Amino acid sequence: MSDNFKLATPHFTIEGVSRAGHETWFRIRDLGIALDAGRGPDEVVSMPHVFVTHAHLDHAVGIPFYAGQRQLQQLAGGTVFVPAECADDMRLVLATWERMTHAPFDVEIRGVAVGEEIRFARTLAMRAHAAAHRVAARAYEFIEVRHHLKADFVGEDVARLRREGVAVEEEYRKPVLFYTGDTDRGILEQNEALFQAEVLMIECSFLVDGHQDRAAKYRHIHIDDIADFADRFENELVVLTHFSRRYSRDEIRDAVRRRVPHSLRDRIRLALPEQWQRV
Ligand SMILES: [Zn+2]
Ligand SMILES: [Zn+2]
């Protein structure tokens, strides 16, 4: 059974598939981005910017296929952002495949350090955050960057002021999305930005009693961790992703319903087919 997910948020639509250990990728066409590359689905191929959180196969094995499909479809460029720690190895993977198939790729692998901010589109920047996992990992925050006329100059001859070299505009930054990738409870304890973004996509691999230790050991989040921080989330929507395959969709929905306080529950969406999205 396919776990395909599609959700319209106030400003963009998220599509994807996400199950722990199996496959995770999301696509947001409105922003021209993919979040993780899963096993190389067709949906990701046309996105010029792919933000891969870490090298685990269920998130990253699709990168060479992405590169090959873009070549085949004659799509120029394409940038895959990965944690700086694994960028060289990822380039080596692509170079190895180029050598084996005698077909050059045009895709660029770009290593990203914690704290780095990259303006990748005219009105979009990405800020990278620390994410503790079993391998090097990043969380990605997406910020809409626009310029507004300063309040002082409303009604003035803006063209003349501009000609005179007056800075009539000011930058306006709005965090529209925060995507955690795989990580543990530490991100809730240490990251402020996560709670502020308009839409938060956060992993929640484990859901039932007895699995709290498993979550800590494998550096994942348990729904109890999210419930502990329930009054901190200022996000309009909180999308839970990356559920363990040991749970059925009904079990997932029931567990979230039982464990998350009402104040947060209304804003939660599950990265599952529509029938199971709301709790
Ligand atoms: Zn994973
Ligand atoms: Zn992982």
Side-chain angles (χ1 to χ4, degrees):
M1 238 198 305
S2 150
D3 266 324
N4 273 68
F5 157 80
K6 186 170 183 177
L7 174 70
T9 78
H11 294 110
F12 48 81
T13 296
I14 309 167
E15 301 164 85
V17 169
S18 180
R19 278 287 194 151
H22 188 246
E23 176 162 42
T24 290
W25 62 267
F26 295 98
R27 164 173 85 167
I28 304 175
R29 269 168 145 161
D30 314 82
L31 307 182
I33 65 172
L35 307 169
D36 285 319
R39 300 189 293 181
D42 293 339
E43 288 88 338
V44 166
V45 172
S46 56
M47 296 298 102
H49 301 104
V50 183
F51 296 85
V52 172
T53 56
H54 64 296
H56 278 151
L57 290 169
D58 48 324
H59 299 254
V61 78
I63 293 172
F65 197 72
Y66 168 78
Q69 286 295 299
R70 285 189 72 88
Q71 200 69 16
L72 209 62
Q73 296 177 26
Q74 298 177 344
L75 298 167
T79 305
V80 181
F81 299 86
V82 300
E85 295 89 329
C86 67
D88 281 342
D89 284 335
M90 207 58 84
R91 288 185 196 107
L92 192 60
V93 168
L94 290 190
T96 304
W97 233 295
E98 285 176 316
R99 202 168 61 233
M100 290 189 292
T101 56
H102 314 291
F105 297 142
D106 197 25
V107 162
E108 182 200 356
I109 300 290
R110 173 110 186 244
V112 180
V114 170
E116 196 173 340
E117 181 169 320
I118 297 168
R119 183 79 167 259
F120 66 93
R122 203 173 57 80
T123 59
L124 277 173
M126 178 282 293
R127 188 152 65 114
H129 293 258
H133 193 41
R134 282 168 297 143
V135 296
R138 292 296 100 91
Y140 295 116
E141 179 190 10
F142 296 89
I143 302 162
E144 191 185 270
V145 185
R146 291 189 186 279
H147 291 88
H148 286 183
L149 190 63
K150 284 184 188 164
D152 300 356
F153 298 121
V154 174
E156 299 280 322
D157 184 349
V158 175
R160 180 179 57 80
L161 289 165
R162 264 207 197 98
R163 277 198 305 276
E164 289 169 3
V166 179
V168 294
E169 290 178 328
E170 61 191 346
E171 198 179 69
Y172 158 89
R173 290 163 64 87
K174 181 181 173 188
V176 291
L177 173 67
F178 191 107
Y179 176 61
T180 69
D182 288 10
T183 192
D184 65 9
R185 165 186 181 99
I187 202 162
L188 292 158
E189 293 165 349
Q190 290 149 24
N191 195 299
E192 284 291 325
L194 171 154
F195 298 106
Q196 315 290 332
E198 191 170 64
V199 176
L200 168 64
M201 297 173 73
I202 183 167
E203 81 121 285
C204 181
S205 301
F206 293 102
L207 291 151
V208 306
D209 278 328
H211 288 170
Q212 287 88 349
D213 291 348
R214 221 168 240 284
K217 181 176 170 195
Y218 295 106
R219 321 241 21 199
H220 286 297
I221 290 172
H222 188 283
I223 188 67
D224 288 355
D225 300 323
I226 290 170
D228 285 348
F229 288 83
D231 54 0
R232 297 278 308 282
F233 296 91
E234 294 172 33
N235 324 85
E236 281 183 33
L237 282 177
V238 177
V239 182
L240 305 186
T241 70
H242 203 262
F243 305 115
S244 165
R245 292 170 81 201
R246 76 193 71 219
Y247 312 125
S248 72
R249 296 161 178 175
D250 288 333
E251 279 176 300
I252 295 166
R253 191 178 50 189
D254 293 348
V256 175
R257 200 178 273 162
R258 265 199 318 276
R259 287 163 186 270
V260 175
H262 200 78
S263 57
L264 177 59
R265 213 183 301 154
D266 290 348
R267 285 176 285 151
I268 283 191
R269 299 291 181 274
L270 310 179
L272 292 173
E274 195 176 357
Q275 208 186 326
W276 287 270
Q277 269 172 25
R278 285 170 183 264
V279 294

